[in-house]
Structure formats: C-alpha cells, structure tokens
Amino acid sequence: QLVESGGGLVQPGGSLRLSCVASGFTLDYYAIGWFRQAPGKEREAVSCITSRGSSTDFADSVQGRFTISRDNVKNTVYLQMSSLESEDSAVYFCARGHGCVQNVRGYHYWGQGTQVTVSS
C-alpha cells in the first residue's frame, strides 16, 4: 500500500511537503514517481526517484521548485514543493515502478492521492 499525505490549501509562493509512505513492502527496490492530475486534465508525471536515489524532474515547470527525496529507513518518499503557483493545484499521486519513466504505464501500484490547492 502507498499512502500520500501532506496536501492542503496554501497561498501562492508557499511551500508544502508531500509524503508517500509504503506499507507491506520495502521501498528500497523500487523507483517512486510523483504524478499530479488537475480537473479535466491527464495525469502528469512530476518527478521520480530511483531505488538508488537518482532523481528526475519530468515536468519542466517544477524544476528548481520541487525536490524529491527518499528515506528508506522510514520507507517514505517526499516531494518538497516551494514557490507554489496556482497551476500546481491538483491531486498528487505517488506510484511504484521498476525504473523512472514518464509514462503512467510504467507504474503498477498507486496511492489514493492527496489534494494540493494553491490559492489566495
């Protein structure tokens, strides 16, 4: 099971840290991707981190603002989001895969999502 948390309402320019906690399996062997989906839009790959800790930002708009990290001891992957913009509003999902790819089909296990709303 993957469980996301940390979403909420934040003002433009603010920060949030999302967490993705795994239970029932060890994260060590998997890549974890963060995706987001806004109403009426397709699910978009945001960032991903491999089992070895290498990270990739898939969305150009988040480069320099979002940072993905993992704590294998806590079986948790984080997405630190700063300088948030209204366009970042979406449901954010984490997903498990065997490598970091941009296509959602590359991930076979998903959390339920956490809502992020950026608004004044």
Side-chain angles (χ1 to χ4, degrees):
Q1 185 180 12
L2 289 171
V3 179
E4 303 94 335
S5 63
L9 174 63
V10 63
Q11 292 186 345
S15 299
L16 283 174
R17 187 177 78 160
L18 305 184
S19 299
C20 172
V21 180
S23 60
F25 67 92
T26 303
L27 273 181
D28 301 35
Y29 306 114
Y30 298 98
I32 299 294
W34 280 101
F35 293 76
R36 65 186 180 186
Q37 189 166 19
K41 295 187 176 181
E42 292 187 353
R43 193 165 295 189
E44 173 191 30
V46 175
S47 187
C48 181
I49 189 164
T50 67
S51 59
R52 295 189 177 188
S54 297
S55 63
T56 301
D57 290 331
F58 290 120
D60 292 340
S61 63
V62 308
Q63 290 185 4
R65 299 189 299 121
F66 290 11
T67 302
I68 190 170
S69 62
R70 65 191 300 153
D71 185 333
N72 288 343
V73 173
K74 295 182 178 180
N75 228 24
T76 301
V77 171
Y78 303 99
L79 185 68
Q80 178 68 48
M81 307 186 296
S82 60
S83 302
L84 284 162
E85 305 166 354
S86 57
E87 292 78 14
D88 296 317
S89 296
V91 178
Y92 283 71
F93 301 87
C94 63
R96 188 184 84 178
H98 290 293
C100 283
V101 297
Q102 194 165 5
N103 196 309
V104 297
R105 295 189 183 92
Y107 301 84
H108 48 269
Y109 204 74
W110 292 79
Q112 83 292 345
T114 184
Q115 176 71 49
V116 171
T117 303
V118 184
S119 175
S120 55

